Amino acid sequence: MVARREWARLTGELSKLGLITHLDRGALATYCGAYAMWAEAMEQIQKFGTMVKSPTGYPIQSPYLAIANRQAEIMMRIASEFGFTPASRSRISLPPQDQLPLFDGEDGES
């Protein structure tokens, strides 16, 4: 559900800017999946903290912290490709309006 909401939010924004095509589906789906796992891990970190007790009673780093960090890395790599960060947005140039969209859905795919 979290991934679907993020998908809808991002595709809406990217579509407005003319920055998304059918070819972007896999990368954007990967981003949304990573976002959902990151959000779930962050919920658990908020609930249990960054340190938890091991089965033997010693404090250890929460396994959710490693999950959150890894998903954040994935998200940031993909985010830079789509212009989700201020620095990456400055490097994106839009094609002239008469060239958008290259394909207007004539193939029947959505």
Side-chain angles (χ1 to χ4, degrees):
M1 191 60 136
V2 172
R4 284 184 186 203
R5 281 195 306 268
E6 186 67 355
W7 172 273
R9 184 182 76 82
L10 292 175
T11 55
E13 292 297 320
L14 291 168
S15 292
K16 286 180 203 173
L17 299 171
L19 293 175
I20 191 167
T21 71
H22 292 290
L23 297 173
D24 302 321
R25 191 178 312 185
L28 193 57
T30 300
Y31 176 92
C32 293
Y35 176 83
M37 283 190 270
W38 172 83
E40 181 181 341
M42 291 304 294
E43 276 184 34
Q44 297 304 314
I45 291 168
Q46 292 295 316
K47 185 175 180 179
F48 298 111
T50 57
M51 299 297 289
V52 296
K53 284 188 179 180
S54 71
T56 59
Y58 290 99
I60 60 169
Q61 177 179 295
S62 169
Y64 291 110
L65 194 55
I67 293 169
N69 288 339
R70 178 68 181 129
Q71 298 313 308
E73 288 173 16
I74 292 168
M75 289 164 48
M76 291 306 294
R77 273 200 316 271
I78 297 170
S80 70
E81 294 294 322
F82 281 101
F84 296 168
T85 65
S88 65
R89 264 193 306 279
S90 70
R91 294 187 298 268
I92 292 178
S93 61
L94 295 175
Q97 285 297 317
D98 63 342
Q99 294 180 16
L100 286 176
L102 184 57
F103 298 103
D104 60 359
E106 293 176 8
D107 63 351
E109 219 176 305
S110 57

